[in-house]
Structures are given as structure tokens and as C-alpha cells.
Amino acid sequence: MVEGPRLADMWNLDQVYALMAAWMDVGERMAAYHAIASVPWSKAYERYSATLADTKEEDAKDFGWRKAFNKWRYIANEEMISNLRSKDFLTAQRELLLAALDLRTCQQQMTDSVAKLLGVPSQHDFDELTRQFTELRRELRASIRAQRDEVEGARGFATQPGKG
């Protein structure tokens, strides 16, 4: 009595709430991921600025855009690689991936329930149909191959002298 009756054409609000919660979780995880992923760029800029400030006047005359770019590339690569290997980055990446997979699952459940409600095929139905088509094609190819081999085998025996 607490839940009350569930009608066939009513939306399951639990699915809607789960989908919204999963969407917000992905947003939070994405923000945390971006915060961690942006750290090496700031560090690289600080190191590069310090490198430019330490450049002497004689070196500044010979310091062209290629040398400047190579220095920036070296510093940025160092910072990016150290960040990509850090425990914080890997944790944020894992949590974002898990949240995205959870969101995808909730979306699929919602899509399946709406498809069922409207009487249209769901993704699962299309996947099953595709699997059946693939199996039928394999069986047809195997059957054609077997028939071809049988015909070629019969011709081979008839054309060889002394056999048959």
C-alpha cells in the first residue's frame, strides 16, 4: 500500500532519478578530472617563464622561436608525463570512466523502458537481430563453400585418368 499501484503506462521515476544522479556524478567527476589535468599546464608555464627570465642578454639574441618552442615542448612534455603517471590523475580518470559507464547503463535502461512503453524495438532487439543475421551469413557461406568443394571434388575425380 505504501508504494501504491504501478500502471503500465506510467514512467518509472526511480529510473529518471537514477539517470539524473548519474548525469550529475559524471559532471562532478569531469570537473575533478579537468582540475587535475590542468595542473601540468600551469606548472609548465611557471617553469618556462622562469627559464625565459634566466636567459642572459647574449643568449637572448640567439634565442629564436625554434629554440623557445623546443624549450616549451620539453618542459610541457615533462610536466604532462609526470602528471599522467600520478596517482591523483589515474584515480580521477578511473572514477570518470566508471561514472560514464554508469550513466550509459542508466541511459540504456531508460531507453529500453521507453521503447517497451511505446512498443518499438529496443537496442537489445536490434543487437539480437544483428547477431542472428551474422550467424545466418556464416552458415550460408559455409554451405556455399561445402557445395563448391563437393562440385569441384566430383569434377576432379571425373577428369583424372585412371580414377572413377
Side-chain angles (χ1 to χ4, degrees):
M1 290 298 290
V2 174
E3 283 188 28
R6 288 189 176 246
L7 303 175
D9 60 348
M10 294 291 292
W11 279 74
N12 184 355
L13 293 180
D14 293 338
Q15 280 185 338
V16 175
Y17 295 143
L19 182 61
M20 289 171 38
W23 181 261
M24 291 188 314
D25 190 37
V26 167
E28 290 173 11
R29 304 292 180 193
M30 183 69 74
Y33 174 81
H34 282 300
I36 292 172
S38 66
V39 169
W41 294 106
S42 302
K43 287 182 181 178
Y45 175 73
E46 289 171 8
R47 283 182 55 194
Y48 183 70
S49 297
T51 301
L52 290 180
D54 291 344
T55 305
K56 297 178 183 173
E57 281 189 33
E58 306 91 39
D59 294 339
K61 292 176 187 175
D62 194 34
F63 198 70
W65 71 269
R66 289 184 195 272
K67 286 187 180 180
F69 177 74
N70 284 336
K71 192 66 170 170
W72 165 254
R73 187 178 48 109
Y74 175 76
I75 292 171
N77 281 342
E78 249 184 10
E79 290 296 332
M80 291 297 291
I81 288 170
S82 69
N83 188 50
L84 291 175
R85 293 178 179 164
S86 71
K87 195 171 243 179
D88 291 340
F89 180 84
L90 294 174
T91 301
Q93 189 179 39
R94 182 183 69 242
E95 289 174 357
L96 176 60
L97 178 62
L98 291 175
L101 290 173
D102 187 40
L103 174 64
R104 178 70 179 118
T105 301
C106 289
Q107 287 174 332
Q108 191 62 51
Q109 289 172 351
M110 178 65 75
T111 304
D112 289 345
S113 67
V114 170
K116 185 177 180 181
L117 181 70
L118 298 176
V120 295
S122 66
Q123 182 66 42
H124 177 73
D125 297 332
F126 283 112
D127 292 344
E128 180 63 23
L129 191 61
T130 302
R131 185 189 61 76
Q132 289 175 1
F133 275 137
T134 303
E135 288 177 2
L136 285 173
R137 283 180 179 164
R138 286 181 185 151
E139 289 176 15
L140 180 63
R141 276 187 248 136
S143 175
I144 290 172
R145 246 185 256 120
Q147 288 176 357
R148 188 181 328 131
D149 292 346
E150 189 177 301
V151 168
E152 288 175 1
R155 285 184 192 160
F157 286 121
T159 59
Q160 290 183 3
K163 298 212 175 183

